[in-house]
Amino acid sequence: MTLHLQAVGLACERDWRLLFEHLDFELRPGDMLQISGPNGSGKTSLLRLLAGLMQPTAGQILLGGQPLDEQRHALASILLWIGHAAGIKDLLTAEENLTWLCALHQPATPEAIWSALEAVGLRGFEDVPCHTLSAGQQRRVALARLHLDSPPLWILDEPFTALDKQGVAQLEAHLAAHCEQGGTVVLTTHHTLERKPSGYRELNLGQWAA
């Protein structure tokens, strides 16, 4: 499937408050969309809508021209979601976490997992229980999924959280390379991106507040 994701007349309500409405945009291969806006403007909610984890209050999201809620299997096959929390299990090692996460979609070999951990600066930490890692290292474990045989659509909520300067630069380069190779990235971040692919654009939800 050639990725074509559309938001049409999208509105979102949370805790009886309308966060945004009349939102329209589309995403194609090579695009990077940065969602910005003040706290409480609905940035994470919009990501969850695009990932199929929430239903819009009004409007709809289309995948390949069809309603997203009718395309669950297709969405699962193209989506990699990493939320604001690292989403890893403290008692498992870095390798065990990635083995478990990859098994949900595309199983990965130990060699591929070791290579992904090395790519994020965690060589030698493969067998270390994650509860002993720093917040930045735990974030790197989660982000190692981006270095495996991953789907084309990456939806990332504050992926730069807890990363040091080197980690930020590496992640920026990797996200841009993914887009330049035909992938699609949607992310929220308070970080100012230094590396932007040609398909980069920003969506400020503050301009769509209800």
Side-chain angles (χ1 to χ4, degrees), residues 45-75:
S45 294
L46 177 55
L47 293 190
R48 292 178 63 83
L49 288 172
L50 295 175
L53 301 174
M54 290 174 53
Q55 293 295 316
T57 302
Q60 61 180 337
I61 299 171
L62 305 176
L63 177 61
Q66 300 297 319
L68 188 64
D69 57 6
E70 299 175 5
Q71 301 286 308
R72 295 292 182 180
H73 181 74
L75 178 64

Short mmCIF file of all heavy atoms in Angstrom, two decimals, residues 45-75:
data_model
loop_
_atom_site.label_atom_id
_atom_site.label_comp_id
_atom_site.label_asym_id
_atom_site.label_seq_id
_atom_site.Cartn_x
_atom_site.Cartn_y
_atom_site.Cartn_z
N SER A 45 -3.25 14.00 21.60
CA SER A 45 -4.55 13.48 21.16
C SER A 45 -4.57 13.32 19.64
O SER A 45 -5.09 12.32 19.12
CB SER A 45 -5.67 14.41 21.60
OG SER A 45 -5.81 14.44 23.01
N LEU A 46 -4.00 14.26 18.91
CA LEU A 46 -3.97 14.15 17.45
C LEU A 46 -3.14 12.95 17.02
O LEU A 46 -3.52 12.20 16.11
CB LEU A 46 -3.42 15.43 16.83
CG LEU A 46 -3.28 15.42 15.30
CD1 LEU A 46 -4.59 15.07 14.62
CD2 LEU A 46 -2.76 16.77 14.80
N LEU A 47 -2.00 12.74 17.67
CA LEU A 47 -1.20 11.56 17.34
C LEU A 47 -1.98 10.28 17.59
O LEU A 47 -1.93 9.34 16.79
CB LEU A 47 0.08 11.54 18.18
CG LEU A 47 1.13 12.62 17.93
CD1 LEU A 47 2.42 12.28 18.67
CD2 LEU A 47 1.42 12.80 16.45
N ARG A 48 -2.70 10.23 18.69
CA ARG A 48 -3.47 9.03 19.02
C ARG A 48 -4.61 8.82 18.03
O ARG A 48 -4.95 7.68 17.70
CB ARG A 48 -4.01 9.12 20.46
CG ARG A 48 -2.90 9.06 21.51
CD ARG A 48 -3.45 9.21 22.93
NE ARG A 48 -4.34 8.12 23.27
CZ ARG A 48 -3.94 6.94 23.72
NH1 ARG A 48 -2.65 6.69 23.89
NH2 ARG A 48 -4.81 6.00 24.02
N LEU A 49 -5.17 9.89 17.52
CA LEU A 49 -6.19 9.77 16.47
C LEU A 49 -5.59 9.16 15.21
O LEU A 49 -6.16 8.25 14.61
CB LEU A 49 -6.79 11.14 16.14
CG LEU A 49 -7.71 11.77 17.19
CD1 LEU A 49 -8.04 13.21 16.79
CD2 LEU A 49 -8.99 10.96 17.34
N LEU A 50 -4.41 9.65 14.82
CA LEU A 50 -3.76 9.15 13.61
C LEU A 50 -3.32 7.70 13.76
O LEU A 50 -3.26 6.95 12.78
CB LEU A 50 -2.56 10.02 13.26
CG LEU A 50 -2.86 11.47 12.87
CD1 LEU A 50 -1.57 12.24 12.66
CD2 LEU A 50 -3.72 11.52 11.60
N ALA A 51 -3.01 7.31 14.99
CA ALA A 51 -2.58 5.93 15.26
C ALA A 51 -3.76 4.99 15.48
O ALA A 51 -3.55 3.80 15.73
CB ALA A 51 -1.66 5.90 16.47
N GLY A 52 -4.97 5.50 15.40
CA GLY A 52 -6.16 4.67 15.57
C GLY A 52 -6.45 4.31 17.01
O GLY A 52 -7.23 3.39 17.29
N LEU A 53 -5.87 5.06 17.96
CA LEU A 53 -6.06 4.77 19.38
C LEU A 53 -7.22 5.56 19.98
O LEU A 53 -7.62 5.30 21.11
CB LEU A 53 -4.78 5.08 20.16
CG LEU A 53 -3.54 4.31 19.71
CD1 LEU A 53 -2.30 4.81 20.46
CD2 LEU A 53 -3.73 2.82 19.93
N MET A 54 -7.74 6.52 19.24
CA MET A 54 -8.89 7.32 19.66
C MET A 54 -9.79 7.54 18.45
O MET A 54 -9.34 7.39 17.31
CB MET A 54 -8.45 8.69 20.22
CG MET A 54 -7.75 8.67 21.54
SD MET A 54 -7.12 10.34 22.00
CE MET A 54 -8.61 11.35 21.83
N GLN A 55 -11.03 7.92 18.72
CA GLN A 55 -11.96 8.28 17.66
C GLN A 55 -12.17 9.79 17.67
O GLN A 55 -12.27 10.40 18.74
CB GLN A 55 -13.30 7.58 17.86
CG GLN A 55 -13.24 6.08 17.68
CD GLN A 55 -12.89 5.69 16.26
OE1 GLN A 55 -13.42 6.25 15.30
NE2 GLN A 55 -12.00 4.72 16.11
N PRO A 56 -12.23 10.43 16.51
CA PRO A 56 -12.45 11.87 16.47
C PRO A 56 -13.86 12.24 16.92
O PRO A 56 -14.80 11.46 16.78
CB PRO A 56 -12.23 12.23 15.00
CG PRO A 56 -12.52 10.98 14.25
CD PRO A 56 -12.09 9.85 15.15
N THR A 57 -13.99 13.44 17.44
CA THR A 57 -15.31 13.96 17.82
C THR A 57 -16.12 14.27 16.57
O THR A 57 -17.34 14.08 16.53
CB THR A 57 -15.14 15.23 18.67
OG1 THR A 57 -14.37 14.91 19.83
CG2 THR A 57 -16.49 15.79 19.10
N ALA A 58 -15.44 14.76 15.54
CA ALA A 58 -16.09 15.04 14.25
C ALA A 58 -15.04 14.88 13.17
O ALA A 58 -13.83 14.89 13.43
CB ALA A 58 -16.67 16.46 14.24
N GLY A 59 -15.50 14.75 11.93
CA GLY A 59 -14.59 14.54 10.83
C GLY A 59 -14.11 13.10 10.77
O GLY A 59 -14.62 12.23 11.49
N GLN A 60 -13.12 12.85 9.93
CA GLN A 60 -12.62 11.49 9.81
C GLN A 60 -11.18 11.47 9.33
O GLN A 60 -10.68 12.46 8.80
CB GLN A 60 -13.50 10.68 8.86
CG GLN A 60 -13.56 11.20 7.45
CD GLN A 60 -14.46 10.33 6.56
OE1 GLN A 60 -14.69 9.16 6.83
NE2 GLN A 60 -14.96 10.93 5.49
N ILE A 61 -10.55 10.33 9.55
CA ILE A 61 -9.21 10.08 9.04
C ILE A 61 -9.32 8.98 8.01
O ILE A 61 -9.98 7.95 8.23
CB ILE A 61 -8.26 9.66 10.18
CG1 ILE A 61 -8.17 10.78 11.21
CG2 ILE A 61 -6.88 9.33 9.64
CD1 ILE A 61 -7.43 10.39 12.47
N LEU A 62 -8.70 9.20 6.86
CA LEU A 62 -8.74 8.25 5.76
C LEU A 62 -7.36 7.66 5.53
O LEU A 62 -6.35 8.38 5.56
CB LEU A 62 -9.22 8.92 4.47
CG LEU A 62 -10.57 9.65 4.53
CD1 LEU A 62 -10.84 10.35 3.20
CD2 LEU A 62 -11.70 8.68 4.86
N LEU A 63 -7.32 6.39 5.28
CA LEU A 63 -6.08 5.70 4.90
C LEU A 63 -6.32 5.08 3.54
O LEU A 63 -7.19 4.22 3.38
CB LEU A 63 -5.71 4.63 5.92
CG LEU A 63 -4.47 3.79 5.59
CD1 LEU A 63 -3.22 4.67 5.49
CD2 LEU A 63 -4.27 2.70 6.63
N GLY A 64 -5.58 5.54 2.55
CA GLY A 64 -5.80 5.06 1.19
C GLY A 64 -7.19 5.38 0.68
O GLY A 64 -7.76 4.62 -0.12
N GLY A 65 -7.77 6.48 1.17
CA GLY A 65 -9.09 6.90 0.72
C GLY A 65 -10.25 6.24 1.45
O GLY A 65 -11.41 6.57 1.19
N GLN A 66 -9.94 5.34 2.39
CA GLN A 66 -10.99 4.64 3.13
C GLN A 66 -10.92 5.01 4.61
O GLN A 66 -9.85 5.31 5.13
CB GLN A 66 -10.82 3.12 2.99
CG GLN A 66 -10.89 2.63 1.56
CD GLN A 66 -12.24 2.89 0.91
OE1 GLN A 66 -13.29 2.72 1.56
NE2 GLN A 66 -12.24 3.30 -0.34
N PRO A 67 -12.06 5.01 5.32
CA PRO A 67 -12.06 5.36 6.74
C PRO A 67 -11.06 4.52 7.52
O PRO A 67 -10.98 3.30 7.33
CB PRO A 67 -13.50 5.09 7.17
CG PRO A 67 -14.31 5.25 5.91
CD PRO A 67 -13.43 4.73 4.82
N LEU A 68 -10.35 5.17 8.42
CA LEU A 68 -9.30 4.49 9.17
C LEU A 68 -9.85 3.34 10.00
O LEU A 68 -9.20 2.29 10.13
CB LEU A 68 -8.58 5.50 10.08
CG LEU A 68 -7.33 4.99 10.80
CD1 LEU A 68 -6.24 4.63 9.80
CD2 LEU A 68 -6.81 6.04 11.78
N ASP A 69 -11.05 3.51 10.58
CA ASP A 69 -11.58 2.45 11.44
C ASP A 69 -11.98 1.21 10.65
O ASP A 69 -12.29 0.18 11.24
CB ASP A 69 -12.75 2.97 12.28
CG ASP A 69 -13.89 3.53 11.45
OD1 ASP A 69 -13.83 3.43 10.20
OD2 ASP A 69 -14.83 4.07 12.03
N GLU A 70 -11.95 1.30 9.32
CA GLU A 70 -12.18 0.12 8.48
C GLU A 70 -10.86 -0.45 7.95
O GLU A 70 -10.87 -1.41 7.17
CB GLU A 70 -13.09 0.48 7.30
CG GLU A 70 -14.48 0.98 7.72
CD GLU A 70 -15.31 1.43 6.54
OE1 GLU A 70 -14.84 1.27 5.38
OE2 GLU A 70 -16.41 1.95 6.75
N GLN A 71 -9.76 0.16 8.36
CA GLN A 71 -8.45 -0.22 7.83
C GLN A 71 -7.49 -0.61 8.96
O GLN A 71 -6.29 -0.36 8.88
CB GLN A 71 -7.85 0.97 7.06
CG GLN A 71 -8.68 1.46 5.90
CD GLN A 71 -8.61 0.50 4.73
OE1 GLN A 71 -7.53 0.13 4.29
NE2 GLN A 71 -9.75 0.09 4.23
N ARG A 72 -8.01 -1.25 10.00
CA ARG A 72 -7.19 -1.56 11.17
C ARG A 72 -6.01 -2.46 10.82
O ARG A 72 -4.88 -2.23 11.27
CB ARG A 72 -8.05 -2.23 12.24
CG ARG A 72 -9.13 -1.34 12.81
CD ARG A 72 -8.55 -0.20 13.62
NE ARG A 72 -9.59 0.63 14.20
CZ ARG A 72 -9.36 1.69 14.96
NH1 ARG A 72 -8.10 2.03 15.21
NH2 ARG A 72 -10.35 2.41 15.44
N HIS A 73 -6.25 -3.48 10.05
CA HIS A 73 -5.17 -4.40 9.70
C HIS A 73 -4.13 -3.69 8.84
O HIS A 73 -2.92 -3.86 9.06
CB HIS A 73 -5.73 -5.61 8.96
CG HIS A 73 -4.68 -6.61 8.59
ND1 HIS A 73 -4.08 -7.45 9.50
CD2 HIS A 73 -4.10 -6.89 7.38
CE1 HIS A 73 -3.18 -8.20 8.89
NE2 HIS A 73 -3.17 -7.89 7.61
N ALA A 74 -4.59 -2.90 7.89
CA ALA A 74 -3.66 -2.18 7.02
C ALA A 74 -2.84 -1.17 7.83
O ALA A 74 -1.64 -1.03 7.61
CB ALA A 74 -4.43 -1.47 5.91
N LEU A 75 -3.49 -0.49 8.77
CA LEU A 75 -2.77 0.48 9.59
C LEU A 75 -1.71 -0.21 10.44
O LEU A 75 -0.57 0.25 10.53
CB LEU A 75 -3.75 1.23 10.50
CG LEU A 75 -3.12 2.25 11.46
CD1 LEU A 75 -2.46 3.39 10.69
CD2 LEU A 75 -4.16 2.81 12.44
#
